[in-house]
């Protein structure tokens, strides 16, 4: 049994508290900024030559100074909620992808991965916690306390309104508040149910070593794969792509899902190596590390493919309402836009091509950390330009995002490691556990 290290527990609590302090400071600073200061920021942005809208929502409606100031104010005030939305959706997606990876291993009767199944279960255990925060953010938006989603403004879909938006009116059958609430609850409650059900059946397989229980466990893994297949697509539309509702991409759902999947594999690798180094998982060896490294490398390259396919098609077509999505990221978030390619493509490609390097613990831990940071930046780049726009270059933006990330990381470590301390690290009842213990990569 794993024993949660008091030192690591202390670190996680410090992260949580420090995150709350930094986020609170950023929140109160954000709300203390008056209209005159925001107008000054807006004029500074325009003075730099960036006069075009940062997203397609700004192309509609009045284009006078008052309208621009109103929009700039809304964007600046979005900073705290956008930071929470980014980290909560990211960690929810990562946890769900960990359970997806877990279910794939069980559904395919994979032998090599049984040693790290409990690690996957522990990472997936964060689903209800991240999901709870997602629901809170959803409630703030649907009650119009938060304003991350442009399409939730009822005036935009009212044909009698001066602000009527024909594009959003056509999407109203899907993008409407009651249906959005129902879908969000289905995603969160459904995923939370599956992680509870699979963990309980996994324990039952260990306790009974019954083939009939294992068959039931297998069936529920198939069920989660089906659930995840539909819901991961839909929550990418709801929580991320609908931030820019005039724009859409057929590659977007794969882009968002593969990003989270690569992150989940990186985290599974980090936790597994940590347990190995602390002596709690001696059965984990170079061969298991190699296979996790293969998945990490493959998913990084798959993410690159989806990034390139999405970007190239829009660049080649050069249609204004589509290119505008990328314009806001080029002009105001170029540091993030290009860092994403460096962290998630260039470095993994340069380092992880060799099979032998995937057996190096230090190198693979380093690569996993780089991928986690890079993929969080992917989600940051999906959320911030459409919600905060160019108004991120200030102390309030830094504090709210840093605070949200530290709180999320601290909470994640605390929940995952606490869960691991309550589990038997080796699922001895699994019929493939012996194969995993003696597993050796053949090349």
């Amino acid at each position: 049994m794993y024993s949660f290290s008091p030192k690591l527990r202390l670190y996680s609590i410090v992260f949580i508290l420090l995150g709350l302090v930094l986020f609170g400071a950023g929140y109160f600073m954000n709300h203390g900024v008056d209209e005159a200061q925001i107008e000054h920021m807006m004029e500074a942005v325009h003075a730099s030559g960036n006069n075009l809208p940062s997203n397609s929502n700004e192309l509609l409606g009045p284009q006078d100074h008052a309208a621009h100031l109103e929009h700039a104010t809304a964007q600046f005030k979005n900073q705290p909620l956008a930071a929470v939305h980014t980290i909560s959706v990211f960690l929810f997606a990562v946890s769900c992808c960990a359970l997806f990876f877990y279910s794939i291993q069980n559904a395919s009767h994979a032998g090599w991965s049984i040693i790290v199944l409990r690690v996957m279960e522990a990472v997936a255990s964060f689903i209800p916690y991240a999901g709870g925060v997602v629901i809170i953010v959803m409630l703030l938006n649907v009650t119009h306390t938060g304003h991350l989603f442009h399409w939730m403004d009822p005036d935009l879909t009212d044909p009698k309104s001066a602000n009527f938006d024909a594009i959003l009116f056509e999407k109203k059958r899907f993008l409407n508040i009651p249906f959005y609430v129902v879908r969000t609850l289905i995603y969160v409650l459904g995923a939370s149910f599956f992680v509870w059900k699979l963990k309980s059946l996994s324990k039952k397989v260990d306790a009974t070593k019954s083939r009939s229980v294992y068959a039931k466990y297998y069936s529920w893994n198939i069920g989660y794969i089906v659930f995840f297949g539909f819901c991961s697509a839909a929550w990418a539309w709801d929580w991320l792509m609908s931030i820019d509702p005039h724009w859409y991409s057929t590659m977007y759902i794969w882009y968002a899902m593969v990003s989270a999947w690569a992150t989940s594999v990186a985290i599974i690798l980090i936790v597994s190596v940590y347990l190995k180094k602390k002596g709690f998982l001696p059965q984990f060896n170079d061969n298991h590390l190699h296979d996790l490294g293969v998945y990490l490398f493959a998913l990084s390259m798959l993410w690159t493919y989806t990034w390139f396919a999405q970007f190239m098609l829009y660049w080649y077509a050069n249609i204004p309402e589509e290119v505008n999505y990328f314009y806001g990221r080029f002009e105001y978030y170029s540091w993030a836009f290009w860092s994403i390619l460096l962290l998630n493509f260039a470095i993994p490609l340069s380092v992880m091509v060799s099979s032998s390097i995937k057996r190096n613990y230090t190198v693979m831990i380093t690569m996993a950390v780089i991928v986690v940071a890079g993929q969080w930046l992917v989600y940051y780049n999906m959320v911030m330009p459409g919600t905060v726009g160019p108004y991120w270059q200030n102390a309030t933006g830094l504090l709210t995002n840093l605070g949200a990330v530290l709180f999320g990381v601290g909470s994640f470590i605390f929940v995952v490691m606490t869960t691991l301390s309550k589990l038997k690290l080796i699922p001895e009842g699994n019929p493939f556990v012996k194969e995993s213990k003696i597993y050796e990569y053949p090349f």
Side-chain angles (χ1 to χ4, degrees), residues 279-346:
F280 293 105
L281 196 61
Q283 299 87 346
F284 182 84
N285 58 42
D286 296 0
N287 300 289
H288 303 105
L289 177 68
H290 175 273
D291 278 20
L292 284 173
V294 168
Y295 273 103
L296 184 61
F297 178 68
L299 288 168
S300 295
M301 295 307 103
L302 178 59
W303 173 87
T304 306
Y305 166 75
T306 60
W307 181 94
F308 177 76
Q310 178 175 261
F311 173 75
M312 189 204 69
L313 291 173
Y314 284 96
W315 171 82
Y316 185 76
N318 199 29
I319 299 172
E321 60 267 27
E322 295 178 346
V323 175
N324 186 265
Y325 178 86
F326 294 99
Y327 172 81
R329 287 156 176 79
F330 279 145
E331 293 298 324
Y332 306 116
Y333 291 82
S334 59
W335 63 274
F337 192 86
W338 298 115
S339 295
I340 283 168
L341 281 180
L342 175 67
L343 297 173
N344 298 319
F345 168 60

Side-chain angles (χ1 to χ4, degrees), residues 420-440:
L420 276 173
S421 68
K422 298 176 182 178
L423 297 171
K424 290 198 298 183
L425 292 183
I426 304 298
E428 296 291 351
N430 192 295
F432 298 95
V433 68
K434 183 179 178 182
E435 180 181 339
S436 189
K437 288 180 179 178
I438 64 173
Y439 172 70
E440 185 174 346

Side-chain angles (χ1 to χ4, degrees), residues 217-249:
Y217 171 63
Y218 174 85
S219 299
W220 278 101
N221 277 283
I222 298 293
Y224 178 72
I225 291 172
V226 175
F227 170 85
F228 178 85
F230 284 100
C231 290
S232 63
W235 77 53
W237 293 331
D238 283 335
W239 299 339
L240 298 169
M241 193 161 72
S242 76
I243 288 171
D244 300 273
H246 295 97
W247 178 85
Y248 60 89
S249 165

